[in-house]
Amino acid sequence: MKLYYVPASCSLATHIVLRELGMEFDLERYNPSEGQTETGSAYAGINAKARVPALEFANGEVLTEGSALVQYLVSQTPEHELALPIELVARARVQEGLSFVASDFHKSFSPFFSADTDDAAKERAQALIVKHLEYLETVFGDGREYFIDNKLSVADIYLFVVLRWVEASGLELNAWKKVFAFRERMNIRPHVQSALEAEGLLEAA
Ligand SMILES: N[C@@H](CCC(=O)N[C@@H](CS)C(=O)NCC(=O)O)C(=O)O
Protein backbone atom coordinates (compact mmCIF):
# COMPACT_ATOMS: atom_id res chain seq x y z
CA MET A 1 0.00 0.00 0.00
CA LYS A 2 1.18 3.50 -0.74
CA LEU A 3 -0.07 6.66 0.98
CA TYR A 4 0.11 9.91 -0.97
CA TYR A 5 0.45 12.77 1.49
CA VAL A 6 1.17 16.44 2.01
CA PRO A 7 3.09 17.03 5.26
CA ALA A 8 0.92 18.24 8.20
CA SER A 9 -2.25 18.12 6.11
CA CYS A 10 -5.28 15.91 6.77
CA SER A 11 -3.42 12.96 5.21
CA LEU A 12 -1.48 12.84 8.48
CA ALA A 13 -4.54 11.17 10.06
CA THR A 14 -4.40 8.24 7.63
CA HIS A 15 -0.64 8.11 8.11
CA ILE A 16 -0.98 7.87 11.92
CA VAL A 17 -3.69 5.20 11.64
CA LEU A 18 -1.44 3.09 9.37
CA ARG A 19 1.29 3.25 12.01
CA GLU A 20 -1.04 2.65 14.98
CA LEU A 21 -2.30 -0.50 13.23
CA GLY A 22 1.25 -1.67 12.48
CA MET A 23 0.59 -1.93 8.74
CA GLU A 24 3.23 -2.04 6.02
CA PHE A 25 3.06 0.94 3.71
CA ASP A 26 5.10 3.32 1.59
CA LEU A 27 4.82 7.09 1.62
CA GLU A 28 4.93 9.35 -1.41
CA ARG A 29 4.81 13.09 -0.97
CA TYR A 30 2.59 15.20 -3.22
CA ASN A 31 3.65 18.74 -4.04
CA PRO A 32 0.43 20.68 -4.85
CA SER A 33 2.24 23.67 -6.35
CA GLU A 34 3.81 21.40 -8.99
CA GLY A 35 0.90 19.00 -9.37
CA GLN A 36 3.43 16.20 -9.03
CA THR A 37 4.59 13.66 -6.48
CA GLU A 38 8.15 13.48 -5.26
CA THR A 39 8.96 10.83 -7.87
CA GLY A 40 7.63 13.04 -10.68
CA SER A 41 4.24 11.35 -11.22
CA ALA A 42 1.38 13.62 -12.29
CA TYR A 43 -0.96 13.56 -9.30
CA ALA A 44 -4.08 14.15 -11.40
CA GLY A 45 -3.54 10.67 -12.80
CA ILE A 46 -3.55 9.22 -9.28
CA ASN A 47 -6.41 11.22 -7.75
CA ALA A 48 -8.44 13.29 -10.22
CA LYS A 49 -9.70 15.36 -7.26
CA ALA A 50 -6.09 16.51 -6.68
CA ARG A 51 -6.39 16.02 -2.93
CA VAL A 52 -4.63 13.97 -0.31
CA PRO A 53 -4.91 11.48 1.24
CA ALA A 54 -4.98 8.81 -1.44
CA LEU A 55 -4.16 5.18 -0.81
CA GLU A 56 -2.88 3.08 -3.70
CA PHE A 57 -3.05 -0.70 -3.52
CA ALA A 58 -0.65 -3.18 -5.13
CA ASN A 59 -3.15 -3.79 -7.94
CA GLY A 60 -3.12 -0.07 -8.81
CA GLU A 61 -6.55 0.69 -7.36
CA VAL A 62 -6.73 4.05 -5.55
CA LEU A 63 -9.01 4.88 -2.62
CA THR A 64 -9.55 8.49 -1.47
CA GLU A 65 -11.35 10.55 1.20
CA GLY A 66 -9.75 10.53 4.62
CA SER A 67 -12.83 9.32 6.53
CA ALA A 68 -13.30 6.38 4.19
CA LEU A 69 -9.62 5.51 4.36
CA VAL A 70 -9.36 5.38 8.13
CA GLN A 71 -12.57 3.33 8.38
CA TYR A 72 -11.31 0.98 5.68
CA LEU A 73 -7.99 0.53 7.50
CA VAL A 74 -9.44 -0.18 10.95
CA SER A 75 -11.85 -2.66 9.37
CA GLN A 76 -8.81 -4.80 8.50
CA THR A 77 -7.96 -5.28 12.18
CA PRO A 78 -11.18 -6.00 14.11
CA GLU A 79 -9.24 -6.92 17.29
CA HIS A 80 -7.38 -3.62 17.46
CA GLU A 81 -8.49 -0.94 19.94
CA LEU A 82 -9.04 1.39 16.98
CA ALA A 83 -11.55 -0.97 15.35
CA LEU A 84 -15.03 0.48 14.98
CA PRO A 85 -17.42 -0.76 17.71
CA ILE A 86 -19.68 -3.65 16.76
CA GLU A 87 -22.72 -2.18 18.49
CA LEU A 88 -24.46 -0.02 15.91
CA VAL A 89 -25.14 3.13 17.90
CA ALA A 90 -21.60 3.13 19.31
CA ARG A 91 -20.29 2.65 15.76
CA ALA A 92 -22.44 5.50 14.47
CA ARG A 93 -21.14 7.69 17.32
CA VAL A 94 -17.58 7.23 16.05
CA GLN A 95 -18.76 8.01 12.51
CA GLU A 96 -20.63 11.04 13.86
CA GLY A 97 -17.44 12.36 15.47
CA LEU A 98 -15.33 11.56 12.42
CA SER A 99 -17.83 13.27 10.16
CA PHE A 100 -17.82 16.46 12.28
CA VAL A 101 -14.02 16.58 12.30
CA ALA A 102 -13.60 15.76 8.60
CA SER A 103 -16.25 18.18 7.36
CA ASP A 104 -17.29 21.14 9.55
CA PHE A 105 -14.16 21.38 11.66
CA HIS A 106 -11.60 20.56 8.96
CA LYS A 107 -13.10 22.85 6.36
CA SER A 108 -13.35 25.83 8.73
CA PHE A 109 -9.55 26.08 8.37
CA SER A 110 -9.54 26.23 4.55
CA PRO A 111 -9.29 30.05 4.34
CA PHE A 112 -5.99 29.91 6.21
CA PHE A 113 -4.46 27.56 3.65
CA SER A 114 -5.52 29.51 0.58
CA ALA A 115 -3.36 32.31 -0.80
CA ASP A 116 -6.32 34.33 -2.10
CA THR A 117 -8.46 34.61 1.06
CA ASP A 118 -9.19 38.16 2.22
CA ASP A 119 -9.08 39.27 5.86
CA ALA A 120 -12.87 39.39 6.22
CA ALA A 121 -13.15 35.75 5.18
CA LYS A 122 -10.39 34.82 7.61
CA GLU A 123 -12.20 36.63 10.42
CA ARG A 124 -15.41 34.74 9.66
CA ALA A 125 -13.49 31.46 9.55
CA GLN A 126 -11.78 32.21 12.84
CA ALA A 127 -15.15 32.87 14.50
CA LEU A 128 -16.35 29.49 13.25
CA ILE A 129 -13.24 27.75 14.56
CA VAL A 130 -13.82 29.38 17.97
CA LYS A 131 -17.38 28.04 17.93
CA HIS A 132 -16.13 24.52 17.19
CA LEU A 133 -13.46 24.77 19.90
CA GLU A 134 -16.08 25.90 22.43
CA TYR A 135 -18.14 22.85 21.52
CA LEU A 136 -15.13 20.55 21.93
CA GLU A 137 -14.20 22.14 25.26
CA THR A 138 -17.71 21.34 26.46
CA VAL A 139 -17.38 17.73 25.27
CA PHE A 140 -14.07 17.27 27.10
CA GLY A 141 -15.53 19.15 30.09
CA ASP A 142 -16.80 15.90 31.61
CA GLY A 143 -13.21 14.75 32.15
CA ARG A 144 -13.04 12.29 29.27
CA GLU A 145 -9.69 11.51 27.64
CA TYR A 146 -11.07 10.69 24.20
CA PHE A 147 -13.61 12.43 22.00
CA ILE A 148 -16.18 9.68 21.48
CA ASP A 149 -17.49 7.67 24.42
CA ASN A 150 -14.09 8.17 26.10
CA LYS A 151 -12.60 5.39 23.98
CA LEU A 152 -9.73 5.87 21.54
CA SER A 153 -10.99 5.94 17.94
CA VAL A 154 -10.06 7.19 14.50
CA ALA A 155 -12.05 10.34 15.34
CA ASP A 156 -9.39 11.20 17.95
CA ILE A 157 -6.61 10.82 15.44
CA TYR A 158 -8.31 13.03 12.85
CA LEU A 159 -9.21 15.54 15.59
CA PHE A 160 -5.58 15.69 16.70
CA VAL A 161 -4.48 16.45 13.13
CA VAL A 162 -6.97 19.31 12.71
CA LEU A 163 -6.13 20.73 16.16
CA ARG A 164 -2.51 21.04 15.00
CA TRP A 165 -3.71 23.78 12.61
CA VAL A 166 -5.28 26.01 15.28
CA GLU A 167 -2.24 28.27 15.66
CA ALA A 168 -2.15 28.79 11.86
CA SER A 169 -5.57 30.42 12.23
CA GLY A 170 -4.15 32.99 14.65
CA LEU A 171 -5.64 31.36 17.76
CA GLU A 172 -3.85 29.81 20.73
CA LEU A 173 -5.23 26.40 21.57
CA ASN A 174 -4.27 26.72 25.24
CA ALA A 175 -7.21 29.10 25.60
CA TRP A 176 -9.27 25.87 25.52
CA LYS A 177 -7.54 23.98 28.32
CA LYS A 178 -9.23 20.60 27.98
CA VAL A 179 -8.87 20.49 24.22
CA PHE A 180 -5.27 21.59 24.56
CA ALA A 181 -4.62 18.76 27.04
CA PHE A 182 -6.20 16.30 24.58
CA ARG A 183 -3.85 17.47 21.80
CA GLU A 184 -0.88 17.06 24.16
CA ARG A 185 -1.99 13.52 25.09
CA MET A 186 -2.35 12.52 21.46
CA ASN A 187 0.91 14.17 20.48
CA ILE A 188 3.06 12.00 22.74
CA ARG A 189 1.72 8.70 21.40
CA PRO A 190 4.74 6.86 19.95
CA HIS A 191 3.09 6.23 16.57
CA VAL A 192 2.01 9.86 16.35
CA GLN A 193 5.59 10.93 17.00
CA SER A 194 6.94 8.55 14.35
CA ALA A 195 4.43 9.84 11.78
CA LEU A 196 5.37 13.44 12.61
CA GLU A 197 9.03 12.56 12.26
CA ALA A 198 8.49 10.80 8.90
CA GLU A 199 6.72 13.93 7.58
CA GLY A 200 9.56 16.17 8.81
CA LEU A 201 7.35 17.89 11.38
CA LEU A 202 9.26 17.37 14.59
CA GLU A 203 11.86 20.06 14.00
CA ALA A 204 9.18 22.65 13.41
CA ALA A 205 7.11 21.66 16.47
N1 LIG B 1 -12.67 15.51 0.90
C1 LIG B 1 -11.26 15.26 1.06
C2 LIG B 1 -10.57 16.59 1.32
C3 LIG B 1 -9.11 16.40 1.51
C4 LIG B 1 -8.36 17.72 1.59
O1 LIG B 1 -8.93 18.78 1.85
N2 LIG B 1 -7.03 17.61 1.38
C5 LIG B 1 -6.17 18.77 1.39
C6 LIG B 1 -5.18 18.68 2.55
S1 LIG B 1 -5.97 18.73 4.14
C7 LIG B 1 -5.36 18.81 0.12
O2 LIG B 1 -5.23 17.82 -0.58
N3 LIG B 1 -4.75 19.94 -0.17
C8 LIG B 1 -3.89 20.09 -1.32
C9 LIG B 1 -4.41 21.08 -2.28
O3 LIG B 1 -5.43 21.71 -2.00
O4 LIG B 1 -3.80 21.27 -3.31
C10 LIG B 1 -11.02 14.26 2.19
O5 LIG B 1 -11.80 14.29 3.16
O6 LIG B 1 -10.08 13.47 2.12
Side-chain angles (χ1 to χ4, degrees):
M1 253 180 323
K2 185 193 280 182
L3 174 67
Y4 292 93
Y5 77 105
V6 171
S9 78
C10 56
S11 52
L12 177 59
T14 307
H15 183 178
I16 293 170
V17 170
L18 282 161
R19 287 179 186 267
E20 291 277 357
L21 299 178
M23 290 180 162
E24 300 247 326
F25 65 98
D26 296 314
L27 281 173
E28 186 156 342
R29 183 177 175 151
Y30 164 50
N31 185 343
S33 63
E34 293 171 5
Q36 288 194 341
T37 72
E38 62 185 317
T39 62
S41 302
Y43 194 63
I46 296 159
N47 179 5
K49 291 177 282 189
R51 290 280 187 275
V52 290
L55 204 53
E56 187 176 75
F57 302 116
N59 66 2
E61 198 175 337
V62 174
L63 197 60
T64 65
E65 300 297 321
S67 304
L69 295 186
V70 294
Q71 291 183 73
Y72 164 76
L73 290 171
V74 296
S75 303
Q76 310 297 307
T77 56
E79 304 304 321
H80 196 279
E81 66 172 326
L82 277 174
L84 294 176
I86 303 288
E87 198 276 312
L88 291 182
V89 175
R91 172 176 294 230
R93 287 257 172 253
V94 173
Q95 292 164 331
E96 179 185 39
L98 191 57
S99 188
F100 163 73
V101 175
S103 57
D104 291 327
F105 195 38
H106 174 162
K107 290 301 165 185
S108 60
F109 288 87
S110 299
F112 298 98
F113 299 125
S114 162
D116 56 8
T117 309
D118 60 38
D119 287 348
K122 284 186 181 164
E123 259 177 51
R124 284 194 300 277
Q126 201 187 63
L128 198 54
I129 293 166
V130 167
K131 200 175 123 206
H132 294 322
L133 290 171
E134 297 292 349
Y135 158 69
L136 289 166
E137 187 71 2
T138 308
V139 170
F140 283 101
D142 65 4
R144 70 181 64 189
E145 289 194 14
Y146 301 111
F147 182 27
I148 305 299
D149 290 340
N150 201 17
K151 184 185 168 301
L152 180 72
S153 74
V154 285
D156 292 299
I157 292 171
Y158 208 139
L159 179 57
F160 165 75
V161 168
V162 176
L163 289 172
R164 291 187 77 256
W165 307 337
V166 166
E167 280 75 12
S169 75
L171 297 165
E172 289 292 335
L173 188 61
N174 60 16
W176 292 272
K177 298 280 180 240
K178 305 223 182 301
V179 185
F180 182 76
F182 165 79
R183 188 176 73 175
E184 295 289 285
R185 272 196 303 279
M186 293 300 291
N187 187 55
I188 59 171
R189 293 180 69 83
H191 293 301
V192 170
Q193 285 289 301
S194 59
L196 294 174
E197 184 174 19
E199 296 198 11
L201 301 172
L202 284 187
E203 304 81 349

